[in-house]
Amino acid sequence: MLVKTPPMGWSSWNTFGEDINEQIVMETADAMVELGLRDLGYTYVSIDDCWALPERDKDGRMVADPVKFPSGMKALGEHIHNKGLKFGIYSCAGTRTCAGYPGSFDYEFVDAKTFAEWGVDFLKYDYCYFPSNANCKQRYLVMAKCSGNQSN
């Protein structure tokens, strides 16, 4: 896909690192609209690493930390979309994220399905804790294919 500009917007990591939460994300989305940034093309609001619980649930799904995101990711995505913005989230091709949270390795389909259910428009996909005997290119293609088969 060819685009005129790269994805433009805000990502939580450089300012907040692991100290991210629902209130910060909502306030940022609100400010992007109020300051006119959305109208200038800054349309992505992306939550980086450390948004999930340290382990998957019994069904193998990633779960947003309920202390940090008490309304849940679907509600947060709806807030972002209601502002005319796009919702981005972070995951990793490895078994864990760079900060040690669950990665998407061998969970690509379930994670893509979960993200689609939450209304995620953009995935930042990192490369930490990747098994040395696995094929990196192939794992990225798996996530791309899984993500492309989801409908919001």
Side-chain angles (χ1 to χ4, degrees):
M1 169 180 9
L2 297 175
V3 294
K4 292 181 181 181
T5 60
M8 298 189 315
W10 174 84
S11 178
S12 64
W13 188 257
N14 287 342
T15 301
F16 297 102
E18 65 186 38
D19 296 323
I20 190 62
N21 63 54
E22 180 178 289
Q23 181 180 351
I24 291 169
V25 176
M26 287 182 167
E27 288 175 357
T28 299
D30 296 346
M32 287 175 66
V33 173
E34 291 166 12
L35 296 171
L37 296 172
R38 178 195 61 199
D39 298 332
L40 295 173
Y42 293 88
T43 57
Y44 288 92
V45 176
S46 296
I47 302 167
D48 213 293
D49 205 349
C50 305
W51 58 264
L53 288 177
E55 301 300 329
R56 292 174 176 274
D57 72 9
K58 64 179 178 56
D59 298 318
R61 295 172 72 112
M62 282 193 226
V63 178
D65 184 324
V67 173
K68 293 179 177 184
F69 299 94
S71 300
M73 290 299 187
K74 184 173 176 79
L76 182 57
E78 288 170 358
H79 179 87
I80 292 167
H81 288 142
N82 287 339
K83 297 287 178 180
L85 299 166
K86 296 176 183 172
F87 179 27
I89 204 157
Y90 169 95
S91 190
C92 189
T95 57
R96 307 298 281 175
T97 68
C98 297
Y101 291 82
S104 291
F105 189 87
D106 277 344
Y107 289 91
E108 291 91 351
F109 182 79
V110 71
D111 289 352
K113 184 174 179 4
T114 299
F115 299 154
E117 290 170 359
W118 291 345
V120 171
D121 303 296
F122 177 85
L123 177 63
K124 176 184 173 185
Y125 208 44
D126 220 331
Y127 184 75
C128 293
Y129 294 94
F130 195 81
S132 61
N133 61 342
N135 181 318
C136 173
K137 181 177 179 182
Q138 189 263 342
R139 299 317 292 205
Y140 273 79
L141 291 172
V142 167
M143 179 55 94
K145 287 178 183 176
C146 289
S147 298
N149 289 330
Q150 303 303 316
S151 61
N152 291 345

